[in-house]
Amino acid sequence: MYLLGALCRWLFGQVSGIFQKVRPYSVMKELLKYRLILSMFVLAVFAAAGCGEPFEPKGPYQERLVLYSILSNRSDSQYVRVYTSYNPLGHNPLENTVDTDIQNARVTIATDSASFALTSSVIPRDDKSRYSTNIGAYVAHPFTVQFGKTYTLTVTSADGNASARVTTPGPGLVEANNAFVMKSPEKYTDDISARVRLSPVTLGYILRLYVEFDVKLGSGVVHVRTEVPKAVRPGGGAGYEYAYPMLVRRITDQYLVDEIVYFNLDAYKAFVEDLEVKYGKIQLTNGTFILTQVESNLYKYYNIANGFQDDFSIRTDLPDYSNVAGGFGVFGAMRDDSVAFDLR
């Protein structure tokens, strides 16, 4: 504070000298020479004003509902998880070891023509290293998702009310361009490719490739199905390091415009080589492309939450993305379409 006072007295003396020595029309010109000093003075004032405030990383807390549900055609059952937010005693949210799921809520999923009431259920939890209880959820069964349709999720409980809407992706198109390359990869130089066409509401997608083959095991034959990598690089020792497809944003927003997805030929050759090392002689039978379309809510939630997984990003105490009114979380949708082809 002594230094700040000295700076103020010096600056006042300099400004007073300007008014005494120069004509009025040139006062502004002279003051501009001191713009750096003035800037430093303002910063010093603000710094001094904040010196007495203790640093508190936790802001004001308000308990809210948290909803999570992804509609999908992978099952005839749809799930909704309902929680309340929590305020840990310390600054580490992982210190909380008591799950905050709500089991007494009224949960419905509605379209413009029908409404479905979900029932409370318990799902076994595989990993109990943090939470020792099973997962509380609400289930609709049987529930076949209609695609290209808008659904509204509504939750009413003693802890609060929340709602969200989602429009599910419509049918997608996937075609194998050159599946014959997979039969005899040593004869070709082109990468394996497929053509996809996306629904208008789709924002992101994953195209995965699976191969099936038969191997002899003793006196019998075993049928194996496994995913094909998208790219490869030499490993640190023997073998290879494979990269598999990830969720990507669509290239164009125009409907009826196809996108081409490639699987590196060298990656496929290395992959088959590793299979033969593991299983011996294999007999290819068929392959399958699976196109997973993701609408905008789920894409934004996943992409933002997983976009900065490093040790240096500054995280906030609020969700990065939520489409839930009256709470936090995500109500999203995805759809799988596939095409199979013979490799015999």
Side-chain angles (χ1 to χ4, degrees):
M1 293 301 295
Y2 172 80
L3 292 176
L4 180 60
L7 176 62
C8 291
R9 290 190 295 272
W10 178 84
L11 184 61
F12 179 77
Q14 294 296 323
V15 174
S16 298
I18 292 174
F19 280 96
Q20 294 172 3
K21 296 178 181 179
V22 302
R23 292 185 297 271
Y25 66 84
S26 61
V27 169
M28 185 57 66
K29 179 180 179 181
E30 291 297 322
L31 283 175
L32 289 175
K33 295 180 179 179
Y34 292 87
R35 59 185 181 274
L36 178 59
I37 299 173
L38 290 170
S39 300
M40 294 175 61
F41 173 71
V42 172
L43 290 175
V45 170
F46 278 107
C51 287
E53 294 293 331
F55 175 70
E56 176 52 62
K58 293 175 64 174
Y61 173 73
Q62 179 182 2
E63 189 171 278
R64 304 287 293 276
L65 287 185
V66 182
L67 313 182
Y68 182 85
S69 179
I70 306 298
L71 302 182
S72 170
N73 65 341
R74 295 182 179 179
S75 171
D76 61 352
S77 298
Q78 307 302 322
Y79 299 86
V80 177
R81 296 171 66 176
V82 183
Y83 296 85
T84 59
S85 58
Y86 61 87
N87 187 19
L89 294 177
H91 297 138
N92 182 7
L94 298 181
E95 294 174 352
N96 184 71
T97 57
V98 179
D99 214 351
T100 58
D101 56 301
I102 298 176
Q103 288 294 300
N104 59 351
R106 182 175 183 271
V107 181
T108 61
I109 298 178
T111 65
D112 54 0
S113 59
S115 180
F116 307 86
L118 282 69
T119 58
S120 179
S121 182
V122 176
I123 303 171
R125 189 191 302 271
D126 294 332
D127 183 2
K128 293 188 176 182
S129 59
R130 180 180 177 187
Y131 297 117
S132 60
T133 57
N134 289 322
I135 300 172
Y138 294 83
V139 183
H141 176 81
F143 190 114
T144 301
V145 176
Q146 301 178 48
F147 289 93
K149 201 172 187 66
T150 299
Y151 288 86
T152 301
L153 169 64
T154 303
V155 175
T156 305
S157 74
D159 297 279
N161 305 324
S163 63
R165 300 182 69 191
V166 67
T167 300
T168 57
L173 173 68
V174 53
E175 295 179 347
N177 286 338
N178 55 355
F180 54 84
V181 173
M182 299 178 64
K183 297 181 181 180
S184 305
E186 69 281 356
K187 297 180 180 180
Y188 302 96
T189 58
D190 295 337
D191 291 334
I192 303 164
S193 66
R195 185 184 309 274
V196 301
R197 185 174 298 172
L198 306 173
S199 163
V201 304
T202 298
L203 185 57
Y205 70 96
I206 308 173
L207 183 68
R208 291 165 294 160
L209 173 59
Y210 288 86
V211 66
E212 298 179 40
F213 55 90
D214 292 331
V215 295
K216 288 187 177 181
L217 184 62
S219 58
V221 176
V222 177
H223 191 71
V224 181
R225 182 176 188 262
T226 186
E227 186 176 0
V228 175
K230 188 175 175 64
V232 66
R233 66 180 181 182
Y240 304 93
E241 292 181 1
Y242 297 113
Y244 289 86
M246 300 179 65
L247 182 66
V248 296
R249 188 184 180 100
R250 67 186 301 162
I251 298 175
T252 174
D253 293 332
Q254 299 180 17
Y255 183 53
L256 299 181
V257 175
D258 297 339
E259 299 190 13
I260 307 299
V261 181
Y262 295 94
F263 287 76
N264 182 265
L265 180 62
D266 290 336
Y268 180 70
K269 289 179 179 179
F271 171 72
V272 172
E273 179 184 320
D274 277 353
L275 290 179
E276 291 179 341
V277 170
K278 180 178 181 180
Y279 295 102
K281 181 67 175 178
I282 66 173
Q283 178 62 51
L284 296 175
T285 57
N286 59 285
T288 305
F289 279 109
I290 299 180
L291 171 65
T292 301
Q293 299 184 83
V294 172
E295 51 75 45
S296 61
N297 293 316
L298 180 54
Y299 176 82
K300 293 175 183 177
Y301 179 88
Y302 177 87
N303 192 57
I304 294 176
N306 293 276
F308 306 97
Q309 296 301 309
D310 61 82
D311 296 330
F312 305 103
S313 294
I314 297 175
R315 311 304 292 164
T316 67
D317 60 348
L318 294 176
D320 297 294
Y321 177 82
S322 173
N323 66 324
V324 176
F328 299 129
V330 63
F331 182 39
M334 64 183 187
R335 173 194 174 104
D336 285 343
D337 293 284
S338 63
V339 61
F341 42 90
D342 197 341
L343 295 177
R344 291 181 178 87

